[in-house]
């Protein structure tokens, strides 16, 4: 059982989609190690999944676990916004409790 | 369908297609802008509902604001079983309403690809022809970055055309007569713009719909009042858009009084509007009553809208003039509709009256009195009501008699007459005449379009058999101007001589 369950919704294989995939993978490997499960959903292939999750914009990262559910819209290039939203403790913060 | 002439898609919303000269531009997006509470969501939902009910066209509803549960519930009052339509595959929601307990962050550039994919998915699934999106402003508040949202909504609007959808997109505005919409929404869907207004006019709420522009095609210009009717939805009243195509006939019908018929060279025309104007107590209600009786006696279906008296009062008064309304109503020839003017807005009265006329199919209609209705409306609203009612009655080729109360006891005019006198075909004036310390009633036919008529001012008397028109007042002048005075025989002879000497 992984602590973090994430879904990333993208539209097709655009450069923006790829950028978002690269960004989330980098952030996860830097801060979460192997402690996460990331699914990538292409809304063009699975529009019903987007409907079920009420996804409006792409890319959208949905943090399903741990609660609360949280969404981050955009190509995830603003890493500080992503880590804050995912409630990931960044190392230098851990150094100063 | 791209390029070339713009064709229209009938919306099926009562009155709107008339104003839109046939409907919405097909395969295009039309922006509906309005302030809070201007019925944007109702219009958006009705567009889909009428498609399903009247044209077997399915529709997708995209909501950015209200939850789909709320929409299903709220629209039940209009008789639209949305949940049923959903399971029949006629209506599909794309739910983009915000989750109340979910935070959302924006980190970097994004697009609305997911929304588009969902719309396309829903539209293909049910074979949609129509789409409504309500409301665009909420996307801006959800996703915050205005410039990206604007760019992306433009792309969505453009893609809707590609999908062959005719769409209504709603947007909110802050002022009734200010910028078209918030967030500069009109910049990306500006081809077609409809504005809904909810104005406080002379202490009365007034809803109007205006088509600001339709690119490449025509529409009626200006604001048209509309109202929201339970079990129906929005009903627009395309007043000046009503064509004046009524045929005019030379068939005469009785006014209910032999003497008055004689004054009018044989009666009223079958498709004319007659205005009876007079101060309180001059016999207007009686004239309307006689008019009804004249109809039912000849086997005509007669309809009376009474706004001044209760049913009981009206029936009692009629029996005082020897007319049994109750008995006549039982024959099915007569219907008396009593309504308290304040019970509804003027637009609602108009719609109800039209519905009654359509249902009862009368040969003659009387309204007693227009002045009572004037109380519940602004001047402008009243004028529109009069135009709407007269043109509707004329279309049905029935004879109408309206009464109007003048504000002053002697002579004078009222606002009603200013609005109506040019629309009516005939005007009958009832006036008080003071002679030797006695109040008597006078009647004259002031105008009768397309016919000769008696120019005398005759005495009207009322007894328990109704009204009687007697001989002309000979020695009184200034009755119509509201300043009657005696003219002595010698003087009247002198005056007559004045004119005859002119002629010779």
């Amino acid at each position: 059982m992984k602590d973090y369950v994430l879904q990333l919704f993208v539209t097709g294989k655009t450069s923006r989609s790829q950028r978002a995939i690269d960004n989330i993978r980098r952030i996860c490997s830097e801060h979460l190690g192997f402690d996460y499960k990331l699914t990538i959903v292409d809304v063009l292939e699975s529009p019903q999944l987007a409907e079920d999750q009420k996804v409006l914009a792409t890319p959208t990262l949905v943090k399903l676990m741990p609660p609360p559910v949280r969404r981050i819209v955009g190509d995830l290039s603003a890493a500080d916004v992503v880590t804050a939203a995912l409630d990931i403790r960044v190392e230098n913060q851990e150094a100063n409790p | 369908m791209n390029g070339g002439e713009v064709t229209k898609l009938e919306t099926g919303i009562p009155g709107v297609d008339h104003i839109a000269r046939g409907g919405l531009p097909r395969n295009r997006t039309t922006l509906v802008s309005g302030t809070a509470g201007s019925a944007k969501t109702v219009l958006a939902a009705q567009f889909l509902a009428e498609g399903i009910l009247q044209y077997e066209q399915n529709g997708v509803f995209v909501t950015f604001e209200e939850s789909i549960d709320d929409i299903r519930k709220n629209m039940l009052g209009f008789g639209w079983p949305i949940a049923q339509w959903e399971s029949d595959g006629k209506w599909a929601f794309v739910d983009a309403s915000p989750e109340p307990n979910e935070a959302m962050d924006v980190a970097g550039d994004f697009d609305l690809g997911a929304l588009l994919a969902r719309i396309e998915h829903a539209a293909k699934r049910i074979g949609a022809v129509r789409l409504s999106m309500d409301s665009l402003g909420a996307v801006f508040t959800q996703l915050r970055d205005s410039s990206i949202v604007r760019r992306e909504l433009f792309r969505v609007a453009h893609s809707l055309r590609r999908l062959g959808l005719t769409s209504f997109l709603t947007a909110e505005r802050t002022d009734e007569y200010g910028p078209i919409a918030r967030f500069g929404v009109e910049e990306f869907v500006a081809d077609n713009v409809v504005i809904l207004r909810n104005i406080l006019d002379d202490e009365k709420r007034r809803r109007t719909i205006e088509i600001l522009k339709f690119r490449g095609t025509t529409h009626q210009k200006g604001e048209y009042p509309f109202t929201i009717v339970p079990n129906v939805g929005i009903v627009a009243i395309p007043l000046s858009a009503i064509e004046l195509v009524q045929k005019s006939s030379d068939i005469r019908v009785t006014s209910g009084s032999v003497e008055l018929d004689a004054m009018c060279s044989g009666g009223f025309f079958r498709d004319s509007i007659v205005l009876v104007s007079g101060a309180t107590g001059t016999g207007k209600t009686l004239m309307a009553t006689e008019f009804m009786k004249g109809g039912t006696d000849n086997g005509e279906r007669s309809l009376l809208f009474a706004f001044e008296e209760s049913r009981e009062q009206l029936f009692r008064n009629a029996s005082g003039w020897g007319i049994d309304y109750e008995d006549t109503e039982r024959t099915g020839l007569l219907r008396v509709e009593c309504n308290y003017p304040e019970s509804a807005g003027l637009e609602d009265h108009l719609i109800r009256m039209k519905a009654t006329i359509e249902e009862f199919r009368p040969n003659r209609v009387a309204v007693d009195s227009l002045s009572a209705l004037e109380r519940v409306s602004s001047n402008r609203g009243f004028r529109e009501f009069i135009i709407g009612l007269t043109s509707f009655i004329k279309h049905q080729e029935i004879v109408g008699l309206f009464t109007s109360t003048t504000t002053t006891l002697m002579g004078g005019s009222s606002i009603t007459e200013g609005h109506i006198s040019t629309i009516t075909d005939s005007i009958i004036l009832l006036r008080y005449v003071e002679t030797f310390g006695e109040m008597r009633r006078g009647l004259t036919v002031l105008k009768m379009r397309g016919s000769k008529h008696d120019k005398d001012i005759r005495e009207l008397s009322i007894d328990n058999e109704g009204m009687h028109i007697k001989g002309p007042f000979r020695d009184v002048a200034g009755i119509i101007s509201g300043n009657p005075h005696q003219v002595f025989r010698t003087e009247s002879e002198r005056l007559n001589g004045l004119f005859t000497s002119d002629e010779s």
Side-chain angles (χ1 to χ4, degrees):
Chain A
M1 184 68 187
K2 305 284 188 188
D3 282 354
Y4 273 86
V5 179
L6 305 172
Q7 263 183 331
L8 180 66
F9 289 86
V10 295
T11 307
K13 292 174 174 55
T14 62
S15 58
R16 190 183 290 127
S17 304
Q18 198 52 54
R19 213 157 50 233
I21 295 168
D22 292 346
N23 283 332
I24 190 58
R25 283 200 170 132
R26 196 185 59 248
I27 292 166
C28 288
S29 66
E30 272 175 26
H31 302 288
L32 301 172
F34 295 101
D35 208 14
Y36 72 95
K37 181 173 181 288
L38 173 69
T39 325
I40 291 161
V41 181
D42 185 344
V43 297
L44 297 182
E45 287 164 16
S46 328
Q48 193 56 48
L49 271 180
E51 185 65 48
D52 297 342
Q53 277 296 337
K54 294 178 65 174
V55 177
L56 188 60
T58 45
T60 290
L61 180 70
V62 184
K63 181 194 71 166
L64 295 167
M65 291 292 278
V69 176
R70 188 133 197 181
R71 289 156 192 264
I72 308 154
V73 168
D75 62 11
L76 311 177
S77 53
D80 51 334
V81 177
V82 179
T83 50
L86 291 179
D87 206 16
I88 295 172
R89 282 170 188 277
V90 180
E91 270 145 34
N92 56 7
Q93 283 177 334
E94 266 180 333
N96 311 305
Chain B
M1 208 58 88
N2 285 333
E5 210 175 311
V6 178
T7 57
K8 301 255 179 98
L9 177 99
E10 273 182 49
T11 64
I13 303 168
V16 170
D17 292 327
H18 206 118
I19 300 167
R21 292 229 175 106
L24 290 189
R26 197 186 292 269
N27 289 355
R28 308 251 167 146
T29 53
T30 300
L31 181 74
V32 181
S33 191
T35 52
S38 60
K40 298 185 293 290
T41 308
V42 179
L43 186 75
Q46 191 171 359
F47 175 57
L48 301 193
E50 303 290 357
I52 293 167
L53 290 168
Q54 296 185 43
Y55 306 97
E56 290 183 14
Q57 293 172 352
N58 298 341
V60 173
F61 195 101
V62 185
T63 173
F64 293 115
E65 209 162 18
E66 274 184 83
S67 78
I68 55 176
D69 255 355
D70 283 350
I71 296 173
R72 284 193 197 110
K73 258 181 246 153
N74 296 343
M75 299 305 153
L76 266 183
F78 298 115
W80 305 328
I82 294 176
Q84 182 60 45
W85 289 338
E86 281 176 84
S87 48
D88 294 347
K90 293 174 176 171
W91 179 300
F93 274 112
V94 170
D95 183 3
S97 59
E99 287 286 328
N101 30 16
E102 243 187 64
M104 192 194 279
D105 294 279
V106 177
D109 194 16
F110 61 87
D111 56 54
L112 290 176
L115 175 68
L116 207 52
R118 289 165 66 187
I119 291 174
E120 195 162 350
H121 177 61
K124 289 215 168 111
R125 184 166 59 82
I126 63 166
V129 174
R130 301 175 176 219
L131 178 131
S132 285
M133 210 180 263
D134 181 59
S135 87
L136 295 180
V139 189
F140 287 88
T141 37
Q142 275 192 56
L143 293 170
R144 294 192 281 275
D145 192 324
S146 301
S147 62
I148 299 180
V149 172
R150 206 171 287 133
R151 179 196 75 201
E152 286 302 314
L153 283 178
F154 176 75
R155 216 164 59 90
V156 170
H158 208 76
S159 306
L160 294 176
R161 290 194 194 183
R162 185 176 46 80
L163 293 171
L165 294 166
T166 305
S167 327
F168 255 143
L169 316 186
T170 73
E172 42 294 293
R173 60 207 303 250
T174 40
D175 301 308
E176 293 296 1
Y177 294 96
I180 293 174
R182 286 175 72 192
F183 304 109
V185 167
E186 71 280 7
E187 285 164 31
F188 55 85
V189 274
D191 282 1
N192 312 299
V193 178
V194 173
I195 291 183
L196 298 180
R197 291 192 178 89
N198 184 15
I199 317 154
L200 199 58
D201 179 11
D202 201 8
E203 296 185 1
K204 313 283 188 329
R205 275 279 161 206
R206 203 177 115 83
R207 293 179 182 279
T208 65
I209 180 168
E210 176 188 12
I211 295 173
L212 200 65
K213 59 171 164 175
F214 271 179
R215 184 158 291 170
T217 179
T218 59
H219 59 86
Q220 304 280 356
K221 291 177 181 62
E223 288 182 45
Y224 294 88
F226 75 87
T227 179
I228 300 170
V229 182
N231 285 314
V232 178
I234 287 176
V235 179
I237 305 165
L239 297 173
S240 44
I242 299 165
E243 316 97 280
L244 282 166
V245 291
Q246 60 269 30
K247 290 156 251 162
S248 66
S249 79
D250 44 16
I251 300 167
R252 306 255 184 179
V253 294
T254 179
S255 65
S257 153
V258 181
E259 297 102 330
L260 185 58
D261 284 353
M263 286 177 79
C264 297
S265 308
F268 300 147
F269 287 119
R270 196 190 59 189
D271 50 6
S272 67
I273 303 280
V274 183
L275 178 72
V276 177
S277 161
T280 176
T282 43
K284 295 186 301 299
T285 301
L286 173 59
M287 278 208 65
T289 309
E290 298 265 5
F291 178 67
M292 288 288 101
K293 187 175 186 303
T296 53
D297 283 354
N298 288 332
E300 289 181 22
R301 300 175 71 79
S302 310
L303 176 61
L304 171 66
F305 292 105
F307 293 99
E308 294 207 319
E309 288 156 307
S310 72
R311 227 181 137 74
E312 288 71 28
Q313 261 180 315
L314 205 70
F315 280 43
R316 194 189 57 213
N317 293 349
S319 67
W321 299 316
I323 293 165
D324 192 343
Y325 265 162
E326 220 164 331
D327 220 38
T328 331
E329 238 187 356
R330 240 174 271 129
T331 65
L333 282 178
L334 175 76
R335 185 187 288 183
V336 180
E337 290 272 323
C338 289
N339 271 305
Y340 192 56
E342 276 81 3
S343 66
L346 214 44
E347 288 87 359
D348 299 298
H349 276 305
L350 179 58
I351 285 164
R352 199 153 59 194
M353 289 163 82
K354 280 182 175 180
T356 310
I357 291 169
E358 270 175 343
E359 187 216 319
F360 186 65
R361 297 242 146 256
N363 303 96
R364 55 176 62 202
V365 172
V367 179
D368 184 39
S369 72
L370 287 178
S371 325
L373 287 169
E374 198 177 327
R375 291 206 301 265
V376 299
S377 170
S378 64
N379 276 351
R380 185 197 163 107
F382 186 69
R383 189 171 58 237
E384 288 171 344
F385 168 81
I386 298 288
I387 297 169
L389 183 64
T390 44
S391 55
F392 180 75
I393 290 180
K394 286 190 162 198
H395 263 265
Q396 314 292 313
E397 292 179 22
I398 51 189
V399 54
L401 182 138
F402 302 161
T403 69
S404 156
T405 309
T406 48
T407 43
T408 50
L409 213 54
M410 313 290 282
S413 63
S414 78
I415 298 168
T416 321
E417 287 163 33
H419 289 326
I420 196 179
S421 56
T422 51
I423 306 164
T424 54
D425 301 293
S426 308
I427 298 178
I428 295 169
L429 295 182
L430 300 176
R431 292 289 186 262
Y432 281 116
V433 183
E434 188 192 339
T435 53
F436 298 112
E438 190 191 3
M439 274 298 214
R440 291 153 77 184
R441 295 182 180 89
L443 175 150
T444 187
V445 178
L446 191 67
K447 123 175 164 182
M448 191 170 177
R449 209 168 265 165
S451 171
K452 282 203 286 194
H453 61 88
D454 192 312
K455 310 281 194 300
D456 285 334
I457 301 170
R458 290 173 181 270
E459 180 167 13
L460 176 76
S461 74
I462 299 173
D463 62 20
N464 56 11
E465 282 172 9
M467 68 177 193
H468 306 279
I469 299 169
K470 298 177 172 169
F473 285 97
R474 278 300 175 218
D475 301 330
V476 187
I479 295 172
I480 299 304
S481 61
N483 183 28
H485 55 273
Q486 295 292 311
V487 182
F488 295 102
R489 185 69 66 186
T490 47
E491 196 187 348
S492 72
E493 271 163 12
R494 191 181 63 80
L495 286 170
N496 274 335
L498 207 73
F499 289 114
T500 46
S501 65
D502 260 22
E503 278 164 24
S504 62

